[in-house]
């Protein structure tokens, strides 16, 4: 008897190098209705009439996750919007994003997130979820946060141009940690100490040039804030994920806290892995970040954290600004730069240059852990981050040995520029599939349909 119609896949992807939870191996992925229905041998028979997509020598990865983007909706869409931001994402192999709340107005409530979701609907190439912002006046609301609305909440411990809701009061910060623990909410934190920076500005004044920028926003701000986070985690048992960690000392502190059994983790950004403070002195606002990009020793420690598993996730902190904004003076030019499109290629290229003798299968498996498996686990994204039966059919074809140079013409972000312009990368995303359909093909430059889903259903707390 022939196969039952419901068992016939829409598409079969064949790969010589498929990155699975069990390792890199040849295999095939059967897809029906946007889901993975079977993971089998590479040469498994395919029913007549079923389309086969052969990845050749490319790695086939699970769709990647960027848990730290600013797609600027609502209120800041002159810099970026969801059609452009999601195009940049899929061109970089990212099929799921979690967007930040520092918009205008900021996303501090279920109602605000519902309005944001309505604005995004029908405009996104990627599946998405939102971090809710913590209202400094009402941190106790985290205790009752519905996980269908958000499973994570963003706290700014220091301010900058697009951070209007800074948690300055120690008692309110403690309330937020206590409430998040009660509600099972994952906190994500911009962990720098605002009071320390204000103290330094009162003494030195604000920086007059980019040669003084890192000194004006030094590592001590992060060290003080991370120490506060660790103590609050110790008191309340809150799950805390420190974003864009930037220095040796902060990394060591979080590693020590984890070794002591505390549920605190950290993210590294592609920008901190790619640039140093020398670049900021040379290029100014093009590589101005918050936290500041630091020195070579700090960058070395962050790379080592990826290799050893000390770092839990890598994020882009995709934060576009217009060229006009980035050409203002040091006081007025906002920190942040685009990066969701460049993240995978920068991470891959940096790792291959840093560890040229490393087995490529080891390197690509680490990339999948940091950009798929761990963010899916940390932020409770069922069906994401793994090639396995029952998962969403989000797949990436990645050519590990294809050199190419990024130019302004490649940039998909609405801002139209990249700090990586002129870089030669050593690997490239060739094709991105979301829900079994192509949403990016590098050979044709064509995108798919803007029907990315809002991810609301979550696993257990």
């Amino acid at each position: 008897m022939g196969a039952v119609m419901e068992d016939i896949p829409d598409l079969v992807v064949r790969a010589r190098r498929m990155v699975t939870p069990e390792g890199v191996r040849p295999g095939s992925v059967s897809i029906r209705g946007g889901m993975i229905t079977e993971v089998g041998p590479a040469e498994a028979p395919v029913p007549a009439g079923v389309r086969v997509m052969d990845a050749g020598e490319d790695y086939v990865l699970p769709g990647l996750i960027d848990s730290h983007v600013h797609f600027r909706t609502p209120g800041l869409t002159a810099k970026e919007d969801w059609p452009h931001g999601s195009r940049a994402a899929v061109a970089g192999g990212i099929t799921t994003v979690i967007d930040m709340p520092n918009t205008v107005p900021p996303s501090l409530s279920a109602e605000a997130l519902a309005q944001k979701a309505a604005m995004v609907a029908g405009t996104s190439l990627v599946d998405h979820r939102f971090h809710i912002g913590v209202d400094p006046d009402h941190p106790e609301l985290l205790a009752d946060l519905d996980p269908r609305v958000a499973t994570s909440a963003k706290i700014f411990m220091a301010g900058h141009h697009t951070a209007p809701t800074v948690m300055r009061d120690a008692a309110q910060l403690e309330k937020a940690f206590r409430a998040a623990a009660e509600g099972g909410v994952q906190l994500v934190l911009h962990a720098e100490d605002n009071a320390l920076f204000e103290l330094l500005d009162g003494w030195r004044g604000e920086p007059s040039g980019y040669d003084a920028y890192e000194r004006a926003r030094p590592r001590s701000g992060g060290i003080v804030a991370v120490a506060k986070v660790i103590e609050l985690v110790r008191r309340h048992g809150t799950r805390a994920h420190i974003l864009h960690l930037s220095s040796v000392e902060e990394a060591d502190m979080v590693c020590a806290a984890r070794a002591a059994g505390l549920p605190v983790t950290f993210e590294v950004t592609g920008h901190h892995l790619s640039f140093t403070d020398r670049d900021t002195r040379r290029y100014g606002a093009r590589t101005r970040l918050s936290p500041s990009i630091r020195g070579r020793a700090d960058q070395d420690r962050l790379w080592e954290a990826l290799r050893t598993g000390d770092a839990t996730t890598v994020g882009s902190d995709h934060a576009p600004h217009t060229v006009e904004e980035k050409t203002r003076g040091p006081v007025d030019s906002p920190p942040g730069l685009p990066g969701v499109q460049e993240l995978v290629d920068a991470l891959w290229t940096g790792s291959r240059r840093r560890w040229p003798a490393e087995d490529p299968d080891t390197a690509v498996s680490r990339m999948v852990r940091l950009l798929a498996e761990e963010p899916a686990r940390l932020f409770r994204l069922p069906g994401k981050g793994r090639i396995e039966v029952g998962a969403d059919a989000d797949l990436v074809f990645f050519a590990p040995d294809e050199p190419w140079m990024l130019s302004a013409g490649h940039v998909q972000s609405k801002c139209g520029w990249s700090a990586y312009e002129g870089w030669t990368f050593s690997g490239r995303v060739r094709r991105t599939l979301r829900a079994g359909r192509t949403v990016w093909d590098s050979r044709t430059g064509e995108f798919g349909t803007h029907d990315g889903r809002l991810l609301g259903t979550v696993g257990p707390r």
Side-chain angles (χ1 to χ4, degrees), residues 410-425:
H410 293 111
V411 175
Q412 300 296 332
S413 174
K414 189 174 183 178
C415 70
W417 64 274
S418 170
Y420 295 85
E421 288 174 42
W423 278 47
T424 299
F425 295 116

Side-chain angles (χ1 to χ4, degrees), residues 129-188:
R129 189 182 284 171
F130 307 130
H131 300 292
I132 196 169
V134 179
D135 185 344
D137 295 326
H138 299 285
E140 69 280 358
L141 296 178
L142 292 178
D144 298 314
L145 180 63
D146 186 337
R148 292 171 296 181
V149 172
T151 62
S152 51
K154 174 72 175 288
I155 289 178
F156 287 93
M157 297 174 68
H160 57 73
H161 296 64
T162 62
T165 55
V166 179
M167 191 77 72
R168 291 180 169 86
D169 183 79
Q172 295 297 85
L173 186 64
E174 178 132 19
K175 286 181 182 178
F177 272 75
R178 184 186 305 116
E182 292 173 4
V185 177
Q186 174 72 59
L187 290 184
V188 295

Side-chain angles (χ1 to χ4, degrees), residues 343-429:
L343 179 60
V344 171
D345 294 329
L347 180 61
W348 177 257
T349 300
S351 70
R352 300 309 291 154
R353 291 175 181 170
R354 190 164 283 258
W355 304 302
E358 184 177 55
D359 179 0
D361 288 0
T362 300
V364 79
S365 295
R366 179 175 56 241
M367 188 163 72
V368 166
R369 174 177 60 81
L370 291 162
L371 278 170
E373 295 171 358
E374 285 296 321
R377 178 193 62 79
L378 189 71
F379 295 109
R380 290 181 277 159
L381 297 167
K384 300 297 185 184
R386 298 162 74 91
I387 297 177
E388 60 187 11
V389 173
D392 293 344
D394 303 342
L395 301 172
V396 177
F397 293 12
F398 182 72
D401 301 311
E402 181 177 330
W404 67 288
M405 181 180 290
L406 180 74
S407 69
H410 293 111
V411 175
Q412 300 296 332
S413 174
K414 189 174 183 178
C415 70
W417 64 274
S418 170
Y420 295 85
E421 288 174 42
W423 278 47
T424 299
F425 295 116
S426 58
R428 189 170 198 176
V429 172

